[in-house]
Amino acid sequence: MNKDIIVYAGPCAVETSSQLDEICSCISDLGLSWLRAGVYKPRLSPHSFQGMGSDGLDVLDKISKKYNLKTISEVVDKESLDKIDQVCDAIQIGTRNMNNYSLLKLVGQQTKNSKKPVLLKRGMSAKISELLTVCEYIKEAGNTNIILCERGIRTFEDSTRFTLDISAVPFLHSQCDYNVCVDLSHSTGNSNLIPDLALSAIAAGADSIMIEIHPDPINAKCDGLQQLDLGQFSNLISTMSDLAQYFGKRLI
Ligand code: PEP
Ligand code: MN
């Protein structure tokens, strides 16, 4: 059992240097160690904000180093993988790419020597058994340092953006030795639901938790409704820490 629960917090997307500075300062003040931030954004519509790309990665690099934070960001193809691998401590593969087997192989090959953590999100319409099967592409290519991430699935229920399958956490733990992350922002699509579900994720045994945060969620360039503001995040971290402590764990 992991004694530490990693909190992957940060904005859906890097927007400006000052935005990221405020966020990193908050994460660091709370004693946490990881920044998650997107720079290559796989958006449904080509007209939506696509992320800042390599300019955003430069910002991410500079500000995360200033606060001594580790970083994770999403890769979408070979070019973004090459760039993100040079800067980030962990690689994220998003829900839309769970079935992009050539990308999974590339990520496995690229991280074969570094054994950098690869966070693989469950496809939004994928069964748990499929997630467990496709992660073998990364393993076979040479990296077993895989984190499986439950980020909500498509069901008939549309009160939330996706349906958070909390049972995936203990079930995955019963099937494999990989660490399991719960992404509370993309599953709910609703920042009001994040605090209660964060506690349920800890109670279910999640090894890490992903939460999108933004200094001004309403004006975020993407995913504003599912990002906590920095005050809400600080309050939540204090409640989560208490529950983690109850289980003999701590947030990092
Ligand atoms: C993200 O984490 O920024 C993201 C796009 O998530 P998902 O792949 O789960 O939609
Ligand atoms: Mn997002």
Side-chain angles (χ1 to χ4, degrees):
M1 183 182 80
N2 273 318
K3 291 269 179 206
D4 294 335
I5 301 173
I6 297 176
V7 179
Y8 297 113
C12 182
V14 175
E15 297 170 8
T16 62
S17 202
S18 61
Q19 169 230 25
L20 206 62
D21 198 296
E22 260 192 83
I23 289 170
C24 289
S25 162
C26 169
I27 293 172
S28 161
D29 284 350
L30 291 168
L32 301 172
S33 45
W34 280 86
L35 166 72
R36 71 128 275 150
V39 291
Y40 298 96
K41 299 302 303 175
R43 307 302 302 282
L44 182 64
S45 165
H47 308 297
S48 301
F49 176 57
Q50 303 286 310
M52 286 178 70
S54 58
D55 289 345
L57 199 53
D58 291 343
V59 174
L60 183 154
D61 191 26
K62 188 165 153 225
I63 312 280
S64 62
K65 286 205 170 100
K66 175 175 166 192
Y67 290 96
N68 199 22
L69 297 177
K70 290 189 224 162
T71 53
I72 177 166
S73 194
E74 178 171 358
V75 301
V76 291
D77 53 19
K78 171 135 182 46
E79 191 193 333
S80 55
L81 171 61
D82 286 343
K83 292 196 168 143
I84 285 179
D85 188 37
Q86 280 173 33
V87 168
C88 293
D89 302 283
I91 308 283
Q92 177 175 323
I93 301 173
T95 193
R96 292 159 188 83
N97 277 314
M98 188 201 92
N99 291 106
N100 184 344
Y101 310 128
S102 43
L103 182 65
L104 302 192
K105 277 191 243 176
L106 274 175
V107 170
Q109 283 156 6
Q110 177 96 10
T111 56
K112 181 168 82 176
N113 296 324
S114 67
K115 302 284 189 269
K116 208 169 255 195
V118 176
L119 183 142
L120 175 64
K121 289 203 181 189
R122 179 180 181 181
M124 60 181 81
S125 302
K127 296 200 258 182
I128 293 175
S129 60
E130 292 166 335
L131 177 64
L132 284 166
T133 303
V134 302
C135 78
E136 297 273 313
Y137 277 104
I138 302 165
K139 180 181 162 201
E140 289 302 306
N143 189 359
T144 54
N145 194 1
I146 298 167
I147 301 158
L148 299 174
C149 180
E150 163 60 35
R151 50 78 66 206
I153 48 172
R154 277 253 155 88
T155 64
F156 57 83
E157 181 55 67
D158 60 4
S159 316
T160 49
R161 186 174 176 193
F162 294 93
T163 299
L164 176 64
D165 179 6
I166 200 73
S167 62
V169 180
F171 186 75
L172 281 167
H173 279 146
S174 76
Q175 299 296 303
C176 67
D177 291 329
Y178 298 126
N179 284 341
V180 178
C181 177
V182 173
D183 175 348
L184 296 160
S185 287
H186 295 89
S187 50
T188 60
N190 180 346
S191 58
N192 294 324
L193 302 179
I194 291 179
D196 287 340
L197 291 170
L199 301 184
S200 74
I202 292 175
D207 304 290
S208 53
I209 297 210
M210 183 173 283
I211 304 175
E212 289 188 333
I213 60 174
H214 194 286
D216 183 12
I218 308 290
N219 291 307
K221 288 198 174 175
C222 47
D223 283 351
L225 296 176
Q226 62 190 41
Q227 307 201 55
L228 294 181
D229 70 31
L230 305 184
Q232 292 169 326
F233 180 61
S234 301
N235 291 338
L236 176 57
I237 288 299
S238 139
T239 318
M240 284 167 66
S241 291
D242 290 345
L243 185 62
Q245 227 171 19
Y246 173 82
F247 288 109
K249 299 180 180 181
R250 64 176 185 146
L251 303 183
I252 58 167

